[in-house]
Amino acid sequence: MSAERLLVIGGDAAGMSAAAQARRLRPADELAITVLEQGPDVSYSACGIPYWVEGVVADRDRLIARTPGEFRAQEIDVHTGTRAEAVDLDAGTVRTASGRTLAYDHLVLATGGRPLRPPVPGLDADGVHGVHRLADGADIRAAIAAGARQAVVLGGGYIGLEMADVLHARGLSVTVVLADPLPMGQLDADMGERVCKALGDMGIDVQPEQPVREIETDADGAARAVRTDAGSYPCDLVVLGLGMGPEVALARDAGLRLGKTGAIAVDRSQRSRSHPEVFAAGDCAQTYHRLTGEPAHVALGTHANKQGRVAGSVIGGRPARFAGVLGTALTKVGDLEIARTGLCTSEAEAAGYDCRAETIEGTTRAGYYPGADPIAVKLVSDRGSGRLLGAQVVGGPTSGKRIDVLATAIWAGLTAEEFAGSDLSYAPPFSPTYDPVVVAARAASRVEQG
């Protein structure tokens, strides 16, 4: 009997996780695995691109987890530079841009995300760069090497802030232009204001509530300024940090069902809700929020790897389910670390919760120990039950990873009072006697009891 055929479209986190897991569970004589990747690389860390631009990561190849050759050694047939042009769901085939047709028994769509690009004149000009693929990082590094001195970053989310930080560290004058009132719209305003102040203190100019109207170009067609209704900001480098949407053109054209977020609708085993022989994972797939149960689209590599593994497990014959998301994430600007999980206040209210929020300020270490930096912790909880709904952390070095213990508490359904009594570690170099997250939980539990 001939082997079944698994075809994976997309060779980064979700796609290669699916292929690798399916191979662990089924040998090549049972399951032939082929991966199509339109770019030159597979299994690379897009999240590491800013740090390669900065020079903290010296070599682009350090961002590549495994090469096509390493996957081929596992009998996973990887084709780079190969674009999937169309999927015929009835025939069970995929046609490539070169005209080749490949048949499949199982199909994994891992087409990833696409950087959001508003319809702004000049957005395709020379000197305007995304931060999506390794080639983008190479182009930005080349622009800096060629003498770029003034940068405008569009957007104040994770990528926008990371790139503003990196370009500032490289010695460029940096302006961050926002359509929103504050950077980091995933935070409540009081926490976003802390981030905005830190950017200003570093010398990064933040221009809020200014949607971009045009990228002005010079006679050679290169970007020379970003124009908003409030003014024009000179630059010789523009970096796009406007967020990511799902890349679903292939799925949509094939007739796969899309969800309310615009991403591919899948069940908790990552199987398409309209075509059970098709799976989708990563930034192209819709997921759900653990607290609200509502559909969500959160473009993070952590989810992509886990979703790919779930799809590969199911294809390999082992039941698996993706457990949903809380939107846990962190980043940094200079020495300021920024992290969040669960629901912010406005999200909790929109989800129908009668919520309370409590913010405390403390230090990252015992106050007498050198290097004790300020930290602010904000907890959002349900007024009636006291259940933790969300957390935000903004502070100095070592602040950010505290979000993980808060995410774990929210994942487990703990109340503020239960978390306040949890047994966390203590030593002066690492925290005060009562860690700031515990202090915040105690404050939140007093609010619930009061």
Side-chain angles (χ1 to χ4, degrees):
M1 186 174 70
S2 61
E4 291 185 358
R5 298 158 299 183
L6 167 59
L7 182 60
V8 178
I9 300 177
D12 203 9
M16 299 317 299
S17 291
Q21 179 66 358
R23 172 58 71 235
R24 291 184 192 103
L25 297 175
R26 298 182 68 181
D29 60 353
E30 291 184 13
L31 183 68
I33 303 176
T34 302
V35 178
L36 308 181
E37 165 54 45
Q38 65 180 352
D41 303 296
V42 297
S43 274
Y44 64 89
S45 172
C47 299
I49 292 172
Y51 309 107
W52 175 41
V53 171
E54 184 178 6
V56 173
V57 177
D59 184 351
R60 76 181 283 281
D61 290 345
R62 297 292 299 275
L63 300 181
I64 298 173
R66 284 197 282 177
T67 66
E70 289 173 303
F71 283 108
R72 291 184 190 114
Q74 294 180 288
E75 298 184 279
I76 296 172
D77 191 16
V78 178
H79 298 266
T80 55
T82 304
R83 180 179 177 82
E85 192 79 9
V87 177
D88 187 330
L89 295 169
D90 293 329
T93 59
V94 171
R95 188 181 77 251
T96 69
S98 65
R100 184 183 177 192
T101 298
L102 295 90
Y104 64 82
D105 299 295
H106 311 281
L107 177 66
V108 174
L109 291 178
T111 46
R114 53 176 175 77
L116 298 180
R117 299 176 70 90
V120 173
L123 209 63
D124 294 323
D126 290 342
V128 180
H129 303 284
V131 192
H132 185 45
R133 301 191 180 279
L134 293 180
D136 297 328
D139 290 342
I140 296 170
R141 284 172 57 95
I144 296 172
R149 290 292 177 265
Q150 291 179 295
V152 171
V153 176
L154 304 183
Y158 300 105
I159 290 295
L161 293 192
E162 287 166 4
M163 287 305 302
D165 184 20
V166 161
L167 295 172
H168 179 265
R170 290 293 306 266
L172 278 72
S173 170
V174 180
T175 300
V176 177
V177 174
L178 308 173
D180 298 322
L182 289 166
M184 291 299 293
Q186 302 90 342
L187 303 179
D188 285 333
D190 58 330
M191 300 297 271
E193 287 168 357
R194 297 171 187 267
V195 178
C196 195
K197 181 179 184 303
L199 289 166
D201 290 345
M202 291 172 60
I204 295 174
D205 183 25
V206 180
Q207 296 292 336
E209 298 186 278
Q210 295 189 42
V212 177
R213 302 305 182 195
E214 181 184 7
I215 308 297
E216 299 175 353
T217 57
D218 61 20
D220 295 324
R224 66 176 180 84
V226 170
R227 182 175 64 80
T228 72
D229 291 340
S232 185
Y233 303 99
C235 61
D236 43 25
L237 174 64
V238 178
V239 175
L240 304 180
L242 298 170
M244 296 286 289
E247 178 50 79
V248 295
L250 196 65
R252 183 183 59 242
D253 293 346
L256 280 176
R257 183 190 302 174
L258 303 183
K260 66 186 294 186
T261 65
I264 300 169
V266 294
D267 64 18
R268 296 187 184 183
S269 67
Q270 301 303 131
R271 193 186 293 271
S272 164
R273 291 192 179 275
S274 61
H275 293 77
E277 75 282 6
V278 179
F279 295 76
D283 294 355
C284 67
Q286 182 169 281
T287 186
Y288 71 99
H289 200 286
R290 278 182 66 91
L291 291 175
T292 66
E294 291 296 311
H297 178 257
V298 181
L300 288 173
T302 49
H303 304 151
N305 277 285
K306 288 185 281 189
Q307 290 170 357
R309 186 179 178 89
V310 167
S313 291
V314 174
I315 293 166
R318 177 185 295 173
R321 289 162 63 88
F322 184 66
V325 303
L326 290 176
T328 308
L330 78 162
T331 188
K332 75 175 191 71
V333 175
D335 289 332
L336 188 76
E337 299 182 2
I338 309 148
R340 56 95 61 208
T341 188
L343 305 174
C344 68
T345 303
S346 60
E347 291 170 334
E349 292 171 345
Y353 286 103
D354 181 11
C355 66
R356 300 287 295 266
E358 190 75 14
T359 304
I360 65 94
E361 299 192 21
T363 56
T364 55
R365 307 178 183 190
Y368 55 79
Y369 194 90
D373 291 301
I375 178 175
V377 179
K378 183 171 189 174
L379 296 185
V380 180
S381 58
D382 180 61
R383 188 188 301 267
S385 66
R387 181 186 179 188
L388 292 171
L389 301 175
Q392 300 161 46
V393 176
V394 177
T398 75
S399 295
K401 285 295 282 182
R402 281 175 163 89
I403 204 67
D404 287 342
V405 71
L406 292 165
T408 303
I410 295 169
W411 191 272
L414 297 187
T415 66
E417 185 175 8
E418 288 170 333
F419 182 64
S422 60
D423 184 8
L424 302 187
S425 62
Y426 158 68
F430 304 104
S431 77
T433 307
Y434 287 107
D435 192 89
V437 298
V438 170
V439 176
R442 288 171 59 185
S445 64
R446 285 197 298 270
V447 167
E448 303 306 335
Q449 295 166 3

